[in-house]
Amino acid sequence: MRAVAGPGRWVWGLSGLVTAAALAIPGARLITSPGTDWDTISAAPQPVVTRTETVPQPVTSLVVQSNGGQVQVVSARVDRVHVTETISYNQGTSPPVVTQSVSGGRLSLSDPACTHADCNVDFDVTVPADVTVTASTGGGQVVVSGTAGANLASSGGPVQATLIGGPLTVNTGGGPLAVRGVSGPLRAETDGGSLIAQDIAAATATITTGGGPAAVTFVTAPQKVLVSTDGGPATLAVPGGPYNLTANSEGGPQSVRIATDPTALPSITIISGGGSLRVEPSGGAG
């Protein structure tokens, strides 16, 4: 049942005030006790509810918070935002409440009931291409593609961000990060996870991995780049040049194959902290 909490705000319950609703049990949760015989263990099914809705109000920005579930946001040629929730919860309990609100063009989705309960909500959202996205999970995967900008945090889960038309800020908290086709300023931190960034057209980029490997390729000449891996191998490919380059592998193997000039305005700082370091030309535009 949906309870109206104010203009543009809803609390989604189980019953059918959504575009489509389906009940399924595709997965199972293992229930064990001390002394469990793992050879004879059985699995109890975990109820799963899937719901889909089209948001009637215009949306210019999206905020999604999932406490452990996955978040996927993709752009399409649509006029309204479409939301699909996949909700799993303990058998014998009620489905957790999922909240939605729209204010000033900002759509907010969250699962506050799962902060302290054993439940999980995955959000799959389709948005117009001019929407910006802020998404966070408590360890679940985040996938965002084709939006006007994004601010993402996964608390250890993997993150994929592709074809972002504006600024992108990411912190994976240890999870791997894959980025492709970013046009706006890029700030990426993995806290030990691996990082692969391809087809980057950002004028500025700050990339830190906290020990994980980093491989970054620009298709247009950047103005200012910082790459720091704290021991992980670092590879950077840029077109054009010359660049005002500071490269420090702190004893690790080092290779620089681009044109450099200490008076050049475009600047690159790359520090590997002992890992291998390589700076090379890319096939992009200078």
Side-chain angles (χ1 to χ4, degrees), residues 146-165:
T147 65
N151 189 336
L152 313 174
S154 66
S155 299
V159 175
Q160 297 178 29
T162 60
L163 304 178
I164 306 300

Side-chain angles (χ1 to χ4, degrees), residues 10-78:
W10 295 269
V11 176
W12 291 357
L14 178 60
S15 62
L17 294 181
V18 292
T19 303
L23 178 63
I25 308 178
R29 179 180 299 276
L30 298 179
I31 300 176
T32 65
S33 59
T36 296
D37 182 351
W38 290 97
D39 293 328
T40 60
I41 190 170
S42 60
Q46 184 179 43
V48 177
V49 175
T50 300
R51 299 184 296 216
T52 299
E53 176 161 315
T54 298
V55 179
Q57 299 94 329
V59 172
T60 57
S61 64
L62 170 67
V63 178
V64 186
Q65 183 174 3
S66 179
N67 290 284
Q70 300 180 6
V71 174
Q72 176 171 288
V73 182
V74 298
S75 70
R77 293 183 178 180
V78 295

Side-chain angles (χ1 to χ4, degrees), residues 209 211-214 227-235 247-255 270-279:
T209 68
V227 177
S228 176
T229 60
D230 290 335
T235 301
N248 186 356
S249 64
E250 297 184 13
Q254 181 170 313
S255 172
I270 179 168
I271 303 169
S272 65
S276 62
L277 183 156
R278 188 166 77 245
V279 184

Side-chain angles (χ1 to χ4, degrees), residues 189-218:
E189 183 176 359
T190 67
D191 293 334
S194 62
L195 183 147
I196 298 176
Q198 300 173 303
D199 301 334
I200 305 303
T204 62
T206 300
I207 294 166
T208 59
T209 68
V216 184
T217 302
F218 282 81

Side-chain angles (χ1 to χ4, degrees), residues 133-185:
V133 177
T134 298
S136 63
T137 67
Q141 176 176 274
V142 180
V143 177
V144 177
S145 179
T147 65
N151 189 336
L152 313 174
S154 66
S155 299
V159 175
Q160 297 178 29
T162 60
L163 304 178
I164 306 300
L168 173 62
T169 299
V170 185
N171 188 331
T172 69
L177 171 61
V179 176
R180 180 175 62 84
V182 177
S183 300

